[in-house]
Each structure stands twice: as C-alpha cells, then as structure tokens.
Amino acid sequence: MSTVAIIPARGGSKSIADKNLQPVHGVSLVARAVRSALATRSIDRVYVSTDQERIASVAQSNGATVINRPPELAGDEASSESAILHALDVVPDADLVVFIQATSPFIDPSDLDQAVGMMNSGAYDAVFSATEDHGFRWEARGDELIPLGHDLGSRPRRQDLPHRVMETGAFYLFRAAGIKKSGSRFHGRIGAVEVGRRESLEIDTPDDLQLARELAMSGESTTRMGPIDAVVFDFDGVHTDDHVFVNQDGVESVRVSRRDGYAITLLKKAELPLLILSTEKNPIVTTRAEKLGVEVIQGQDDKAKALSTWAETHQIDLQRVAYLGNDVNDAAAMGLVGWPVVTGDAHPDVKLLARVILESHGGRGAVRELADLILKRA
C-alpha cells in the first residue's frame, strides 16, 4: 500500500511552446511540481509521465521516476485520466494516487499533506484543490448573458452568497482502485482542500506565465544557491560593464574587474569546470579567457546548442550548472541549466527567468558575488 504522485507532462502545447519546461524563478514547471511532491511527508514516490526526452531528463535530475507515455496518449485529445491509468499499469502497487499538474507552479507541500490526510481519514473517495469563489458568474446563452446563482431582481451581498469553491487544477487525489473502476478522477464522496490565491494560479496563457514569474520574483529568495558542479559565463555585460572603448584605428578594448579575476582564481581552486560562452567574435574574449585560464567558446549564435554540447562532452549535468548572463541572447541557455543567474543590471526579460539575481552589475563584481555564493556552499 503506497501513496504515489503522478505528474503527466507531455511535450506538446498549443498555448505556450514547451510549456512544462518553461522556467518560473529559474525552475521549470515540471521540476517545481516534482519538488513540491518530494517535499511532502506523505508521498512515497513521484512519477512523471511524459513523451519527451527533455522533460524526462529534468524529471529524473529532480528526483522523479519517468514513465514513458506512448504517442497515442500524448496528443491534444488524450485525457488526463488516460495518462493516469497508463501510469498505474506501470505502478501496480499504488494505492493512493496524488495527480499533480505541472501547470500550477505554487503548490504548497502542506496542502498536499492535508489532502492525503483527508483521504486516509476514510471520509472521502476523491479530493481536489480548490479556491473560494465568491464572484458573480454569468453564462452566455446565444447572444444573452444569464446570471448563475443569483437573482438580478434581488442581488445579494457577496458575503451573503452560499460558500462556493472552484477547482484550481493543481492536484487531485483518489484511490487507484477507484479510478480504475470508474474511469474518472471524480467518484464517490468528494472533498476539497482550499488553497490560497497564489497557490491557485494555473498557467494556460503567456499572460499567466508572466504573472507567475513576477509573483515568484517577489515571493521567493533570489540569493540562495544549491550544489554547483560547473559555472558558465557570458562575456559582455558579465565580465565587462557592457561598454567598449574604440580608438582612432578602430581597435576595441574593454574594462574588467580585478575582483572578478580573483573570483575565477577561487573557483578554479575549488576545481569547478569553468566556461566563457559568448556570441562576440572579437579576439579580446579569447585573450581575456586565456589570461584567466578559462575555457572559451565564442562567436556562438546558438548558445544553448553550444552549451549542451559542452556539457555532454564534459559529462556535466546541466541541472547542476550555474549560468551567469545579462541579456536576452542568454535566455535559451539559461533555460537549460538548473541555476540561471543574472547580473543586477540585467535586462528585465531575463531577470524573470533567473533563479538568482545578483546585486552587483556586470564588470563590477558580479562574477565575484556569484563565486562567493557558490563557495559558501562548498
């Protein structure tokens, strides 16, 4: 008898490309779902059902077991129930199922524990996450709007409306035997765990994703680091202040920080693999990298591809890589690593993708600040 979390996360999405891999505060949606489940007291094992290799890789690196979903159960028309039932064929000893949707980025582990407790009390056959709904709802019928649950001739105060809740879509609980028998996540006696407004956010549109990122930036730490196995840096705007000096002969030079140079020395003493990855073709990038004794790859328009190749060559898990960038051309590469970091003066669009936002600006101690954060954990 076991309690298992199953997270269906297919690769396709019409509203947002690669939706389940989109980062919120530098952590992909599927990774956030896995981490919420693993942080509970009551869930024994976590599974991710997917048809995509990248999602599988992220799920495994965050501690989940992957269930390979067949193509016929991964299309737009495939129901969540079909994915759950397929997963239960792979996990035959599952008793209580916690079905989690990765599109809810702020699932509180304590809410999951509460839901498991409700199920284990024997009072319910199914439990779902909900949020209080005290709005006035209307239904379109042809060209006319019809009020639902209230009378236009006697409009009640909000506090006088009956208590109502709305599904958030974050999680659903049921017995494996129950869904196998009924074919539905809803059966028997149904209860709800009421979650907060933040926890009720579900990502379906680009606007939802933008809101989630802004909420995460305001409500989660942007200064703590986890275990790091390698560090990758952009050059312009990271090792420099993003300015260039040009003399009358057209020769370019840049300004760098000695603090940042010493930071590289400290990271090398810690035996961390280091890489400067730049789109810039000017040989000054290689000159600086050679001075620092750091591997360099420059002139790269596709930094994500170059980073993936480098990590594979060096057998480095990208989920344990810190990438320090500052502008939109770093976004794709930042999306591949477990620790996307930006300078304090980074472009606002990439700040929303970062897991750590430094106080220091590029060329003015940002590299040293990152090194200090990493080495404090060493």
Side-chain angles (χ1 to χ4, degrees):
M1 304 288 283
S2 63
T3 298
V4 302
I6 299 176
I7 305 169
R10 64 189 182 89
S13 174
K14 288 184 176 180
S15 58
I16 303 173
D18 288 326
K19 181 163 64 174
N20 287 310
L21 289 171
Q22 289 297 318
V24 170
H25 195 183
V27 182
S28 69
L29 291 176
V30 69
R32 292 178 77 95
V34 169
R35 293 177 187 184
S36 289
L38 289 174
T40 65
R41 301 185 308 273
S42 53
I43 294 174
D44 301 313
R45 288 169 288 162
V46 180
Y47 296 88
V48 171
S49 169
T50 187
D51 61 323
Q52 189 186 89
E53 185 176 337
R54 285 177 60 202
I55 292 175
S57 177
V58 171
Q60 287 177 323
S61 65
N62 281 275
T65 300
V66 171
I67 296 174
N68 295 313
R69 197 189 317 184
E72 60 270 20
L73 298 181
D76 292 336
E77 303 303 319
S79 67
S80 295
E81 274 79 359
S82 67
I84 296 296
L85 290 168
H86 172 263
L88 290 176
D89 287 338
V90 181
V91 192
D93 64 333
D95 172 37
L96 178 57
V97 178
V98 184
F99 161 32
I100 297 175
Q101 300 210 91
T103 46
S104 293
F106 301 119
I107 296 173
D108 189 330
S110 65
D111 290 332
L112 294 173
D113 281 327
Q114 181 183 347
V116 172
M118 291 171 64
M119 289 292 295
N120 287 339
S121 73
Y124 302 98
D125 300 299
V127 171
F128 65 95
S129 62
T131 188
E132 185 178 5
D133 178 21
H134 50 67
F136 293 104
R137 294 185 172 268
W138 298 71
E139 181 179 295
R141 297 179 186 173
D143 295 331
E144 187 177 4
L145 288 174
I146 305 299
L148 296 179
H150 64 282
D151 186 349
L152 291 182
S154 179
R155 187 178 175 89
R157 299 177 302 171
R158 285 182 182 270
Q159 58 266 38
D160 293 332
L161 289 170
H163 183 68
R164 296 180 180 137
V165 297
M166 180 173 62
E167 285 182 50
T168 71
F171 58 82
Y172 304 82
L173 285 77
F174 39 80
R175 300 287 171 189
I179 192 172
K180 288 178 180 178
K181 182 178 180 180
S182 68
S184 171
R185 74 191 81 172
F186 294 113
H187 50 268
R189 299 159 298 172
I190 300 173
V193 173
E194 293 191 37
V195 304
R197 286 294 182 186
R198 183 175 184 272
E199 290 75 19
S200 72
L201 178 63
E202 183 177 24
I203 294 175
D204 189 51
T205 68
D207 285 344
D208 297 332
L209 181 59
Q210 177 77 4
L211 176 58
R213 287 170 170 167
E214 292 175 359
L215 285 172
M217 278 189 66
S218 64
E220 299 175 5
S221 171
T222 60
T223 57
R224 290 198 298 266
M225 297 289 295
I228 302 297
D229 290 343
V231 188
V232 179
F233 310 91
D234 183 23
F235 186 72
D236 288 325
V238 171
H239 282 270
T240 78
D241 60 4
D242 225 8
H243 290 81
V244 62
F245 300 97
V246 184
N247 68 16
Q248 66 271 20
D249 299 318
V251 178
E252 296 183 359
S253 61
V254 295
R255 171 178 166 171
V256 296
S257 165
R258 290 194 182 276
R259 282 185 296 163
D260 289 343
Y262 186 61
I264 295 296
T265 300
L266 296 174
L267 291 170
K268 288 168 65 179
K269 284 183 178 179
E271 299 184 343
L272 287 171
L274 306 177
L275 172 69
I276 291 176
L277 178 59
S278 176
T279 56
E280 178 59 58
K281 298 177 181 179
N282 193 302
I284 197 169
V285 180
T286 296
T287 300
R288 180 59 179 167
E290 290 175 348
K291 170 74 173 177
L292 296 172
V294 174
E295 186 176 358
V296 61
I297 302 174
Q298 67 177 113
Q300 297 295 312
D301 292 328
D302 190 342
K303 297 173 82 169
K305 183 178 179 180
L307 175 59
S308 295
T309 301
W310 178 81
E312 184 177 353
T313 300
H314 291 269
Q315 296 183 314
I316 295 172
D317 181 359
L318 283 169
Q319 292 303 303
R320 293 173 67 94
V321 170
Y323 182 103
L324 177 54
N326 76 303
D327 215 331
V328 292
N329 64 340
D330 295 309
M334 287 172 58
L336 295 179
V337 302
W339 289 93
V341 185
V342 294
T343 61
D345 58 340
H347 191 283
D349 288 350
V350 291
K351 277 189 174 181
L352 290 174
L353 305 179
R355 195 168 178 182
V356 174
I357 300 174
L358 302 175
E359 293 184 3
S360 303
H361 290 193
R364 298 177 180 271
V367 175
R368 178 59 188 268
E369 183 180 343
L370 175 59
D372 288 344
L373 289 173
I374 293 171
L375 296 174
K376 280 178 183 177
R377 290 192 51 90

